[in-house]
Amino acid sequence: MEQKISMVSASLNGVRISPRKMRLVADLIRNKEIQKALSILEYSSKKRVSYFFRKLLLSLLSNWKRKYEQLEDINLYINKIVVNQGKTLKRLRPVPQGRGHRIRKRSSNISVFLGKNKK
């Protein structure tokens, strides 16, 4: 009988990058194998976001290894990535005639879930 594998996840909250920019990189690695996703992130280093996703994927592998105590001969892939909006910092920018326009500095919350291929 095959052992039922529950989902392993990792999350990163309060990243000071807007969710819209995060989702661009999240779409690149969604439903990819974990090693392939890490190499994609390594070569998309122009985007500042890729650093946070690499950090998150390495944490996810560590969580998997701690839970199942094995890492070899398993085809792990990214099952699901969720990028939500976190807290928004509100600032004022001075404009003419004594007025102020609002600046919204957005942050993101990221959750990544790991799955196992059935190969």
Side-chain angles (χ1 to χ4, degrees):
M1 188 189 293
E2 186 178 326
Q3 178 186 4
K4 183 170 176 145
I5 295 179
S6 61
M7 260 200 213
V8 176
S9 67
S11 64
L12 189 61
N13 295 328
V15 180
R16 277 284 302 121
I17 299 173
S18 70
R20 187 174 180 179
K21 292 177 187 175
M22 289 288 226
R23 286 184 191 114
L24 290 173
V25 177
D27 291 339
L28 289 175
I29 62 173
R30 185 171 281 129
N31 296 325
K32 299 271 197 277
E33 288 184 7
I34 195 89
Q35 296 301 329
K36 190 172 182 179
L38 283 170
S39 65
I40 288 171
L41 290 173
E42 183 180 347
Y43 291 110
S44 66
S45 61
K46 252 171 97 171
K47 297 269 187 194
R48 197 177 98 197
V49 176
S50 63
Y51 167 76
F52 294 107
F53 274 109
R54 271 184 65 82
K55 182 177 173 181
L56 194 58
L57 290 183
L58 292 175
S59 172
L60 191 60
L61 278 175
S62 173
N63 291 348
W64 175 272
K65 192 172 182 182
R66 186 178 323 132
K67 189 167 187 178
Y68 295 111
E69 310 227 345
Q70 62 179 357
L71 199 56
E72 301 83 25
D73 298 332
I74 295 178
N75 296 323
L76 299 174
Y77 74 103
I78 298 169
N79 192 12
K80 185 176 169 185
I81 296 179
V82 179
V83 179
N84 292 324
Q85 184 169 341
K87 290 185 178 180
T88 302
L89 299 175
K90 294 173 180 144
R91 301 289 182 256
L92 288 176
R93 181 180 190 106
V95 292
Q97 298 180 358
R99 296 185 181 132
H101 287 173
R102 182 166 285 193
I103 296 176
R104 290 181 297 277
K105 298 187 175 195
R106 302 177 192 273
S107 66
S108 302
N109 297 332
I110 314 163
S111 297
V112 180
F113 299 93
L114 198 58
K116 186 177 122 177
N117 274 348
K118 295 159 181 78
K119 289 184 180 179

